Amino acid sequence: MPQADRLWRWASWFTAGLVLAPLGMISLSWTELNPETWAHLNQTLLPTLLRNTILLIGGVGIGVSLLGVALAWLTSLCEFPGRRWLSWGLMLPFALPAYVLAFVFLGLFDFSGPVQQGLRTLFSLPDNWSFEARHPLGVILVMTLVLYPYVYMLTRTAFMAQGRSTFDAARSLGLSTWASFWRVSLPLARPAMIAGLSLALMEALADFGTVSVFNFDTFTTAIYKAWFGLFDLHSAAQLASLLLLLVLLILWLEQYSRGRARITQPVKTPQERIRLRGLPCVLAVCCTWGVFALAFVLPMTQLLSWAWALRHELTADYLTLTNHTLVLGAFAAGLTLAGALVLALTRHHQNRTSIRISVQLSTLGYALPGSVLAVGVMLSLTWLDQRIADLMQSLTGTDPGLLLTGTLAALLIAYFIRFLAVAYGPVATNLQQLQPSLSEAARTLGAHTGIIVRRLYLPMLQPGLLTATLLVMVDVMKEMPATLLLRPFGWDTLAVRLYELTSEGEWERAALPALILVCTGLLPVLVLARSDPREQATHKL
Amino acid sequence: MYSLKRLFPYCLTLIFSVCYLAPALAATEEVVVYSARKAHLIAPLFDRYTQKTGVKVTLLTDKAGALVQRLLAEGKRTPADLLLTVDAGNLWQAAEQDVLATVDSKQLQQQVPIWLRDPDGRWYGLSKRARTIIYNTERVQPAEISTYADLAQPKWYGRLCLRTSKKVYNQSLVAMMIARYGETRTEDVVRGWVNNLAAAPFSNDTKAIQAVAAGQCDVAIVNTYYFGRLQRKQPDLPIALAWPNAASGGVHVNVSGGGVTRYAKHPQAALRLLEWLASEEAQGEFAELNLEYPVNPEVPAAKQVQAWGSFSEDPMNLSQAGRFQARAVRLMDRVGYR
């Protein structure tokens, strides 16, 4: 069906074009070089920044992989007390903005915090006894706790698709438990794990909020310094485009190392989980509940106690803010998911270079620091807007003003560009697990593309789509720079309120919007946890 | 055609929502404000202004750098009439990027002292924030504190706390020092500070103040209103403000302020709002919402703020803070002030 194929192709090129517009705007900065800024950064900051960035990426990479895979394995294939509840409870830390967790941790653990004060009194240590909480390990820990859900959620989907039979087969062929896991289960889940890992690393690379709470300088520090300190947006954009190049290189290396291997899974009926007993059971319980306590219960308790003290600030405003947050999250998730589906399906059916490249480019929006991308999107939208207005002015004689800038549509486009990668990861890895023979069979039976998508892919891709919806929706609700810059007048969200209070250093007052944001983020988690067909199926066993 | 029919309602909804949500054309008189000063510090005043005059004020908040970029991109078609931001460096930069119009207002010239506004009349300070020295009352005698530069002396070794150099308040402070003492001497002072640090620089002023209160260090350089907020919550902390440089230049003050945008749709209304914000009627509340000092000399500061004592302030024109900001940033990077 070449007609339909061409349509799909055009759709994915269009999507890639949409993402490329702001990236192109940012790359345009290379037309103007400011040697003074570059020489300065080179001489003073860059060596340290690069070292710190590598340290951060390495640490967070190891952290989220270990935590994400271990938790996913335990909750998807094993049975232990609290598993059912934790399997979605462990997604919750994702609803917490990373810099909020960072602040809560520092508040508790630094010199003037209750932990060190308590230790000094308890063991009558000298007044100046202390340990440095603002340590690189602290940043790595905080980021790991917030970002592991990417790996966890994607890998979990893969483990559940494997089911127990692959693992059992490996065991029955004489491999030990560990060997079965390392040599069979994990390699099968590798594409999903890598997809989650790359999302987590892209976010860590582009992060500015968390590292600045710790005053830990990374590559993004240089970007912000060039823009806000040296008033040199050009150099900032140049640095940002270098960051993009680095991400592209990493993604390419990963694909290269994966080679042409393709992993597909037969459709599974739900199976019983491995029931843990004795020491493994105790360890599993400690590990899972420990992570949950550290990443969610502890910060939430602190936020609750701050918010409770200022509960009189809970006004009807918050209803509007929550409403805006939810509407934006839902619309953006729908739009982004549709885009990701188009990309993933086109890639699945048409192995052309142009498609592979446009998919790769479409997922780059996530690798840029939020503020830089927001400015890129704003610049390309206003450019288009100005041309439209010029045209209408020359046709009608009256200036219509800017029609796109400052509308909801502009903001949604920005979310789409930023979070396409987040939606693409889960959908694409899910799609890779399906056997191509399925759609070939459907085609042989005379079904056209529309029917194949609706009756075959949408049902089969449900786990991936659910994960993607959840990730994008929560990410949009937490998103700040684009929301700030592109929201229509009056469209303040919870993240905007959170920004206004935290940037004034009013962390305790910020606890209230933060809590409401987390609770709003719980809504999609709850809805999706309930509607997950695999969970329901296993309950019946 | 089957699929087109099915899509039709969706298209209709999309078109409708775009039209509905496009910024409505103002029927009544309106001023659109882009503000880097946060909503909770400014919206109560705008509400009062609307009640009094019937002029609608529409507010959009973001960071200063992003707002200036948006003004530049929107150009002649910008909906914004007024730009409000914090820090003289940011105001200077907005003027430098040519997004602010020169306004000639007798009233503003009377209300805002000459060193707190742009010499070309493009921006005007609206509230003052003093960046001064805070000390631990149990470990430091107030007489020990003399100047910012003195904090670089060996006697403060291991006793100083600073906020990060990435914060614009510190960049402005160092820029004003460069304007006064020149780059070489300033570099020596800042190097001395870094050498005297008791802990790595903090991410915000409140953290630095808490470190002084907890005895991690003895002195720090902070904006007074952060101390004011903490004082309200914990009045018994062993900390107090000192006013340095009484005999040599005075305490470093910075401003929050604003200006009418170059392509304002309602320049007259915007100017009237700006004048009102600097007037005796609004200045008290404008400053008190954030425990700052009014710029208008006729208006006293809030009681809590007055209790911290009076000081002589640096009378050098604040546009220097913008002019020397990039040099200040590079200087601080050179001496390893993070």
Side-chain angles (χ1 to χ4, degrees):
Chain A
M1 232 155 288
Q3 187 83 42
D5 278 358
R6 203 171 306 143
L7 203 66
W8 283 95
R9 210 145 61 220
W10 277 102
S12 35
W13 286 337
F14 176 74
T15 312
L18 214 56
V19 178
L20 270 187
L23 301 187
M25 272 293 175
I26 289 158
S27 310
L28 270 184
S29 61
W30 287 99
T31 51
E32 220 176 283
L33 260 178
N34 188 344
E36 203 182 1
T37 305
W38 277 95
H40 168 73
L41 290 175
N42 216 353
Q43 282 156 16
T44 54
L45 296 173
L46 280 180
T48 325
L49 299 189
L50 289 177
R51 206 185 55 226
N52 282 353
T53 308
I54 291 166
L55 188 68
L56 182 74
I57 293 304
V60 172
I62 294 169
V64 295
S65 307
L66 283 179
L67 219 53
V69 171
L71 294 175
W73 173 260
L74 287 173
T75 58
S76 59
L77 292 175
C78 303
E79 189 61 71
F80 57 88
R83 182 209 60 84
R84 253 185 70 191
W85 198 84
L86 273 175
S87 65
W88 65 268
L90 283 168
M91 301 173 191
L92 298 186
F94 186 58
L96 208 67
Y99 64 96
V100 172
L101 186 70
F103 186 82
V104 169
F105 262 64
L106 269 194
L108 291 173
F109 292 105
D110 71 0
F111 185 93
S112 46
V115 172
Q116 292 206 29
Q117 302 244 25
L119 285 175
R120 281 192 289 267
T121 0
L122 199 62
F123 299 106
S124 17
L125 295 159
D127 275 353
N128 57 1
W129 176 88
S130 73
F131 60 87
E132 184 54 272
R134 291 178 294 156
H135 193 269
L137 281 178
V139 192
I140 291 172
L141 176 72
V142 165
M143 282 218 188
T144 301
L145 287 179
V146 177
L147 297 179
Y148 82 81
Y150 281 120
V151 180
Y152 168 71
M153 289 173 72
L154 269 78
T155 319
R156 185 165 167 269
T157 310
F159 280 147
M160 293 188 85
Q162 279 179 28
R164 207 182 133 179
S165 51
T166 337
F167 181 74
D168 283 347
R171 294 276 288 130
S172 68
L173 289 171
L175 287 182
S176 71
T177 315
W178 273 109
S180 314
F181 174 76
W182 280 112
R183 290 174 51 190
V184 179
S185 300
L186 191 60
L188 282 173
R190 175 179 152 167
M193 190 197 102
I194 295 286
L197 180 64
S198 58
L199 287 176
L201 289 188
M202 278 200 253
E203 188 158 329
L205 260 181
D207 171 86
F208 184 67
T210 316
V211 291
S212 67
V213 171
F214 278 83
N215 200 24
F216 183 74
D217 293 347
T218 61
F219 197 70
T220 44
T221 313
I223 298 177
Y224 281 73
K225 184 159 252 167
W227 183 7
F228 297 117
L230 302 172
F231 299 131
D232 187 354
L233 183 58
H234 278 285
S235 302
Q238 285 157 12
L239 287 162
S241 53
L242 287 185
L243 199 63
L244 271 186
L245 218 59
L246 180 75
V247 171
L248 255 181
L249 188 74
I250 295 174
L251 289 178
W252 180 79
L253 274 179
E254 196 283 317
Q255 289 210 332
Y256 183 76
S257 73
R258 199 190 297 174
R260 297 197 160 269
R262 195 187 160 104
I263 298 153
T264 56
Q265 299 279 330
V267 184
K268 283 280 163 31
T269 47
Q271 292 156 317
E272 211 175 335
R273 295 161 200 277
I274 303 162
R275 205 162 277 283
L276 296 180
R277 284 176 227 287
L279 187 64
C281 181
V282 173
L283 282 177
V285 169
C286 288
C287 167
T288 48
W289 284 99
V291 171
F292 183 68
L294 203 60
F296 194 71
V297 179
L298 184 73
M300 285 302 274
T301 314
Q302 174 72 85
L303 289 179
L304 263 173
S305 83
W306 281 339
W308 182 250
L310 292 164
R311 59 190 177 279
H312 59 271
E313 293 197 351
L314 183 65
T315 53
D317 281 8
Y318 278 103
L319 225 55
T320 324
L321 296 180
T322 311
N323 191 13
H324 289 162
T325 308
L326 271 173
V327 168
L328 287 176
F331 271 97
L335 210 63
T336 317
L337 230 61
L341 205 57
V342 166
L343 283 180
L345 287 174
T346 318
R347 173 89 174 76
H348 193 60
H349 284 296
Q350 307 182 31
N351 198 9
R352 288 169 168 244
T353 318
S354 71
I355 298 292
R356 273 209 306 277
I357 291 175
S358 53
V359 165
Q360 197 68 276
L361 293 175
S362 302
T363 52
L364 278 181
Y366 200 54
L368 276 180
S371 306
V372 178
L373 182 78
V375 167
V377 172
M378 189 268 293
L379 288 178
S380 16
L381 282 176
T382 39
W383 182 86
L384 182 68
D385 232 353
Q386 298 278 15
R387 299 295 86 74
I388 294 173
D390 286 345
L391 186 72
M392 285 174 72
Q393 194 172 15
S394 64
L395 287 178
T396 62
T398 51
D399 188 349
L402 300 175
L403 299 172
L404 201 56
T405 319
T407 63
L408 221 47
L411 184 54
L412 288 176
I413 292 173
Y415 289 147
F416 179 85
I417 294 171
R418 177 140 184 82
F419 295 117
L420 197 55
V422 178
Y424 180 78
V427 175
T429 45
N430 196 171
L431 195 57
Q432 279 167 12
Q433 290 160 357
L434 302 186
Q435 282 168 336
S437 56
L438 281 173
S439 68
E440 282 154 22
R443 257 168 216 256
T444 324
L445 292 171
H448 65 75
T449 318
I451 292 197
I452 295 180
V453 170
R454 221 174 33 251
R455 304 216 6 221
L456 179 70
Y457 284 134
L458 286 186
M460 301 280 296
L461 291 179
Q462 205 179 350
L465 288 172
L466 285 177
T467 309
T469 314
L470 177 61
L471 288 175
V472 175
M473 203 166 161
V474 175
D475 259 336
V476 166
M477 297 199 295
K478 290 192 291 185
E479 205 281 345
M480 233 159 37
T483 316
L484 278 169
L485 189 59
L486 294 166
R487 71 196 193 278
F489 292 114
W491 269 78
D492 286 4
T493 65
L494 289 168
V496 171
R497 178 66 59 90
L498 191 56
Y499 155 76
E500 299 207 316
L501 292 170
T502 51
S503 66
E504 285 291 317
E506 300 253 35
W507 288 92
E508 285 152 38
R509 290 176 69 188
L512 192 61
L515 264 182
I516 299 176
L517 184 63
V518 174
C519 294
T520 317
L522 294 189
L523 286 179
V525 178
L526 284 176
V527 171
L528 295 176
R530 294 244 139 237
S531 62
D532 193 333
R534 295 160 306 177
E535 282 294 324
Q536 283 159 8
T538 39
H539 294 166
K540 282 183 201 135
L541 278 174
Chain B
M1 279 306 99
Y2 165 73
S3 58
L4 261 185
K5 244 187 233 162
R6 281 184 55 130
L7 280 178
F8 185 65
Y10 297 103
C11 294
L12 208 65
T13 325
L14 188 73
I15 293 166
F16 175 75
S17 53
V18 169
C19 296
Y20 166 72
L21 294 159
L25 294 170
T28 53
E29 201 179 4
E30 186 190 12
V31 181
V32 178
V33 181
Y34 283 2
S35 172
R37 192 174 170 87
K38 306 301 163 346
H40 63 276
L41 299 179
I42 189 97
L45 273 159
F46 288 159
D47 290 345
R48 242 174 80 196
Y49 187 71
T50 307
Q51 263 180 14
K52 188 185 156 219
T53 61
V55 176
K56 189 176 161 226
V57 182
T58 306
L59 179 65
L60 185 86
T61 53
D62 196 351
K63 292 184 186 133
L67 287 175
V68 170
Q69 285 309 317
R70 181 159 170 180
L71 280 171
L72 280 173
E74 289 173 338
K76 288 181 183 156
R77 295 192 170 97
T78 185
D81 300 308
L82 197 63
L83 176 71
L84 293 185
T85 176
V86 291
D87 185 77
N90 286 328
L91 288 164
W92 178 86
Q93 179 60 13
E96 196 73 356
Q97 298 276 357
D98 208 20
V99 296
L100 298 180
T102 302
V103 294
D104 189 23
S105 157
K106 283 263 142 35
Q107 206 178 320
L108 280 172
Q109 282 163 15
Q110 279 165 12
Q111 288 162 337
V112 184
I114 191 159
W115 61 93
L116 303 177
R117 55 182 154 92
D118 178 38
D120 296 330
R122 290 167 296 183
W123 53 264
Y124 295 84
L126 292 171
S127 66
K128 285 188 290 190
R129 44 265 305 269
R131 194 157 185 79
T132 191
I133 297 174
I134 193 165
Y135 64 95
N136 185 313
T137 48
E138 289 163 0
R139 302 157 71 111
V140 178
Q141 292 301 316
E144 286 180 71
I145 297 164
S146 58
T147 62
Y148 298 105
D150 178 65
L151 295 181
Q153 295 301 318
K155 70 168 173 172
W156 295 107
Y157 182 78
R159 299 170 72 190
L160 175 68
C161 273
L162 289 175
R163 182 184 188 157
T164 169
S165 72
K166 289 186 276 290
K167 185 63 193 180
V168 70
Y169 303 150
N170 284 334
Q171 296 168 358
S172 288
L173 170 67
V174 173
M176 292 299 271
M177 286 168 70
I178 294 176
R180 180 175 298 279
Y181 304 119
E183 202 157 336
T184 324
R185 197 175 146 200
T186 307
E187 189 161 336
D188 288 341
V189 170
V190 180
R191 187 177 287 116
W193 287 352
V194 173
N195 201 34
N196 286 345
L197 285 181
F202 291 90
S203 62
N204 63 63
D205 278 11
T206 309
K207 282 273 174 217
I209 298 173
Q210 282 168 340
V212 173
Q216 189 174 12
C217 41
D218 296 349
V219 284
I221 301 176
V222 296
N223 279 7
T224 53
Y225 52 89
Y226 292 106
F227 167 67
R229 282 184 208 154
L230 202 62
Q231 197 182 30
R232 281 187 175 177
K233 275 179 278 187
Q234 294 166 275
D236 301 326
L237 289 176
I239 41 178
L241 294 173
W243 304 109
N245 292 55
S248 53
V251 172
H252 170 66
V253 289
N254 204 328
V255 287
S256 77
V260 178
T261 60
R262 169 157 306 282
Y263 298 110
K265 299 289 166 297
H266 316 98
Q268 289 307 316
L271 178 60
R272 278 197 297 277
L273 176 57
L274 193 61
E275 287 172 343
W276 183 76
L277 288 174
S279 72
E280 290 179 39
E281 198 184 334
Q283 273 285 292
E285 190 179 346
F286 193 101
E288 189 172 353
L289 277 169
N290 197 28
L291 295 175
E292 290 170 79
Y293 294 87
V295 286
N296 190 325
E298 304 297 320
V299 182
K303 285 230 159 54
Q304 185 193 352
V305 176
Q306 281 185 28
W308 302 333
S310 59
F311 57 90
S312 67
E313 68 183 71
D314 187 346
M316 198 188 312
N317 192 287
L318 267 179
S319 56
Q320 306 287 355
R323 191 161 294 127
F324 290 108
Q325 180 173 329
R327 278 169 74 180
V329 169
R330 288 197 291 266
L331 183 153
M332 292 190 283
D333 284 343
R334 277 202 301 277
V335 300
Y337 176 10
R338 285 176 45 228

